[in-house]
Amino acid sequence: MKLSTASAALLAILLTQGCSAPADSTAVSNEQTTTSYLDYSGREDELSGGARMIKINTPKGEFNVWTKRVGNNPTMKVLLLHGGPGGTHEAFECFDSYFPKAGIEYYYYDQLGSHYSDQPADTSLWNIERFVEEVEQVRQALGLNKDNFYLLGHSWGGILATEYALKHQDKLKGLIISNMMSSVPAYNQYAEEVLGPQMPPAVLSEIKQIEAKSDFSNPRYMELLLPNFYTKHALRMPLEQWPDPVNRMFNHMNQTVYVQMQGPSEFGIRGNASLRNWDRSADLPKIQVPTLTIGGQHDTMDPEHMKWMASQLPQGRYLHCPEGSHMAMYDDQKTYFNGLVKFVKDVDSKAMVKE
């Protein structure tokens, strides 16, 4: 296609402007910084493009967990703890659209039992204490420390991140608890008293009948939940528009790990689920490192509780996503990432203040 002289001149101006001054304020500041951020030469994981398996020790032997590094930054390195339990890193792939241009180094990571890591059959491995020890071994293998290590946990990952901070906060620079309350009993109450009644009474009644019979494999259960709960509180988009990374994560969910710890119900953590009594609300003041809590207005978790959590943390900050649900990183994406990037950079520049 031929361009007129005027069109070619205009295109040249636009291209020059685009290269010299990125419009996004979070963009990497100059070409040299960008080059350094993307330079993997000399790194142990250069051959694999940042991916590596890490060997971990457990009471049941040695296993391998999958990680993948993106970028280079000596002072800002974020390890991502996915939800589930038994989910995968895949739901975090939207971070590729925001962290690189902000110059933040980050690590995808599939916890033991998840799709890209080893999946041992021994159910005694699925407990909080062992997962905390696993995260610590991963931290050591990746060379993260208190001068650069930010830990972000989403949903179940938020429970794991909280427990890690209570045991190992001397290794942390910053903590992010995304879309997770500090008390499962409080979450159960919110699901029962607030979320359930938002559904049509006939739908809620049928769901409760199925749950009372423990008939969770009944296809009708998901037929009711998908339009009446998931697209209202998990990810506020029509199912046919759900992003590919989210669909892959759900397809790869380890149901054995999920049901043992979370339980089969989608209305709270109940029955014999090992997490049903988890509550760290009284311990939040013990977490001294700068901490961001994130909640969505339409979340499965109570946004007011997550705001309250920030008030209990000595260096707490709350990020509210007014259009967001449990996966606010998708349905209120710009709010989520603008606030998250600001927090990481404020901590890095020692400008962290409560908001």
Side-chain angles (χ1 to χ4, degrees):
M1 180 178 67
K2 292 184 67 176
L3 292 174
S4 68
T5 303
S7 296
L10 177 59
L11 177 60
I13 292 172
L14 291 174
L15 288 173
T16 303
Q17 289 176 338
C19 293
S20 62
D24 194 317
S25 63
T26 64
V28 180
S29 59
N30 55 57
E31 184 177 350
Q32 180 58 42
T33 303
T34 303
T35 301
S36 175
Y37 180 82
L38 296 174
D39 184 5
Y40 284 22
S41 61
R43 298 289 295 253
E44 182 180 347
D45 53 21
E46 178 184 0
L47 181 66
S48 59
R52 58 180 289 201
M53 299 295 283
I54 293 174
K55 190 176 296 295
I56 60 166
N57 295 303
T58 78
K60 300 298 181 177
E62 290 186 340
F63 299 100
N64 293 296
V65 297
W66 179 91
T67 67
K68 178 178 171 61
R69 175 181 59 85
V70 179
N72 295 286
N73 191 308
T75 64
M76 294 185 291
K77 304 173 186 288
V78 182
L79 178 64
L80 303 173
L81 302 181
H82 61 69
T88 74
H89 74 280
E90 290 160 308
F92 286 131
E93 288 180 9
C94 58
F95 280 60
D96 289 349
S97 296
Y98 293 89
F99 270 15
K101 65 182 178 181
I104 298 172
E105 179 178 328
Y106 56 110
Y107 292 80
Y108 294 124
Y109 157 39
D110 264 24
Q111 299 151 28
L112 186 65
S114 294
H115 186 73
Y116 289 77
S117 296
D118 288 350
Q119 300 170 35
D122 193 324
T123 58
S124 68
L125 292 166
W126 315 134
N127 62 83
I128 291 176
E129 293 76 14
R130 195 213 56 77
F131 274 113
V132 169
E133 176 57 27
E134 176 184 318
V135 173
E136 173 59 7
Q137 292 185 44
V138 169
R139 178 199 69 80
Q140 292 178 25
L142 295 175
L144 310 177
N145 59 58
K146 63 182 179 61
D147 297 322
N148 54 41
F149 177 32
Y150 296 79
L151 186 62
L152 184 154
H154 175 259
S155 194
W156 141 252
I159 293 178
L160 182 53
T162 300
E163 290 289 337
Y164 181 89
L166 286 168
K167 186 173 183 180
H168 295 292
Q169 64 179 305
D170 59 316
K171 310 296 195 310
L172 285 170
K173 183 172 184 175
L175 175 68
I176 301 100
I177 303 171
S178 175
N179 308 89
M180 186 65 224
M181 295 165 64
S182 59
S183 167
V184 167
Y187 160 49
N188 287 341
Q189 182 178 359
Y190 183 71
E192 181 72 24
E193 297 179 359
V194 179
L195 298 182
Q198 292 181 21
M199 290 191 290
V203 171
L204 180 60
S205 176
E206 189 174 354
I207 288 173
K208 286 191 171 183
Q209 289 175 22
I210 293 173
E211 293 199 339
K213 297 176 183 177
S214 296
D215 190 16
F216 296 103
S217 61
N218 187 332
R220 180 63 175 162
Y221 188 58
M222 292 307 295
E223 287 175 10
L224 292 168
L225 285 174
L226 286 171
N228 294 289
F229 185 75
Y230 277 89
T231 58
K232 308 290 185 185
H233 302 292
L235 178 52
R236 290 173 66 81
M237 297 178 184
L239 285 170
E240 62 274 14
Q241 295 178 20
W242 277 25
D244 174 66
V246 175
N247 291 327
R248 281 187 280 115
M249 183 273 293
F250 278 115
N251 288 337
H252 292 154
M253 182 78 69
N254 186 324
Q255 291 295 330
T256 300
V257 181
Y258 183 85
V259 172
Q260 179 175 324
M261 299 185 73
Q262 151 81 27
S265 172
E266 294 304 319
F267 285 96
I269 299 176
R270 307 178 188 281
N272 295 322
S274 62
L275 294 174
R276 70 186 183 280
N277 295 318
W278 182 82
D279 191 335
R280 285 294 200 169
S281 294
D283 296 316
L284 293 177
K286 298 177 183 177
I287 300 176
Q288 299 291 319
V289 297
T291 302
L292 177 70
T293 64
I294 305 175
Q297 181 64 37
H298 309 283
D299 210 324
T300 56
M301 303 288 164
D302 181 3
E304 287 301 314
H305 181 99
M306 290 178 281
K307 180 179 180 180
W308 170 84
M309 288 167 59
S311 74
Q312 302 302 296
L313 295 156
Q315 295 193 74
R317 177 187 293 182
Y318 176 62
L319 172 61
H320 186 67
C321 298
E323 303 300 323
S325 66
H326 196 54
M327 303 195 75
M329 70 276 287
Y330 285 98
D331 51 25
D332 200 352
Q333 193 168 83
K334 292 193 182 303
T335 301
Y336 185 97
F337 281 102
N338 285 343
L340 174 56
V341 168
K342 184 177 188 303
F343 170 79
V344 172
K345 292 198 167 186
D346 281 352
V347 174
D348 188 59
S349 65
K350 297 182 171 57
M352 170 66 184
V353 293
K354 297 191 75 166
E355 293 182 350

